[in-house]
Amino acid sequence: MSADSTVDLEERFHAFLTRSPHELGLGREDPAEIIDRYYTPDIEYCNDGFRLDRDRLIAHVGPARRNGRELEIEVREALVRGDRAAARYTLRAVMRKGNTVEMEIYLFARFAPDGRIRRVDSITRTIPRK
């Protein structure tokens, strides 16, 4: 893998962490098109032990769009090495009813040769309100 492709994967990973949640949760574009932009068709997304495939990821968009009003992502650490990436970041969402949800996310990803994500393993921790 060349240095240029590593830079490209770093940019793609940052977009995956920061732009894709906005596009999916707050956007109006077809969720399937967004999912296909960031993930391979055979995506395996394991979050807190629960496995999501492409269809389940798409189905998750509807409730997120109905309930979310604002979204903020703060990437605290991110690392890309070869076809693998890891990140620790915070997601804050303001919900339709006005409450705020804040989560710390630890995520490990694996890229397909085309730069899209083909596997995710993540653990989330809700940050208690002060």
Side-chain angles (χ1 to χ4, degrees):
M1 187 174 287
S2 72
D4 289 344
S5 63
T6 300
V7 170
D8 181 54
L9 285 180
E10 288 173 359
E11 291 172 6
R12 290 178 73 87
F13 189 54
H14 190 266
F16 165 75
L17 294 172
T18 60
R19 284 200 313 251
S20 69
H22 285 276
E23 293 173 14
L24 288 166
L26 302 175
R28 299 201 184 281
E29 185 180 358
D30 178 3
E33 290 181 23
I34 300 167
I35 294 292
D36 292 342
R37 183 167 37 253
Y38 291 100
Y39 302 99
T40 60
D42 61 343
I43 179 64
E44 289 184 71
Y45 198 117
C46 299
N47 182 54
D48 293 336
F50 185 73
R51 185 174 169 214
L52 301 168
D53 61 11
R54 179 182 179 274
D55 292 337
R56 285 185 168 172
L57 283 169
I58 292 168
H60 183 68
V61 172
R65 286 185 177 179
R66 280 191 300 278
N67 294 315
R69 293 295 170 250
E70 295 176 33
L71 186 62
E72 179 185 343
I73 308 286
E74 182 180 350
V75 178
R76 299 182 182 277
E77 296 179 85
L79 177 68
V80 175
R81 290 287 186 268
D83 69 344
R84 296 172 190 255
R88 179 176 66 92
Y89 62 102
T90 304
L91 180 146
R92 287 178 204 86
V94 177
M95 308 310 280
R96 178 175 46 90
K97 294 183 179 181
N99 58 317
T100 300
V101 176
E102 187 170 1
M103 294 182 292
E104 186 170 44
I105 301 166
Y106 300 86
L107 182 139
F108 300 91
R110 187 148 197 196
F111 296 101
D114 68 1
R116 291 184 293 166
I117 304 285
R118 70 175 182 193
R119 170 109 185 152
V120 169
D121 290 282
S122 65
I123 297 171
T124 61
R125 177 181 75 87
T126 300
I127 299 171
R129 299 295 301 164
K130 296 178 184 173

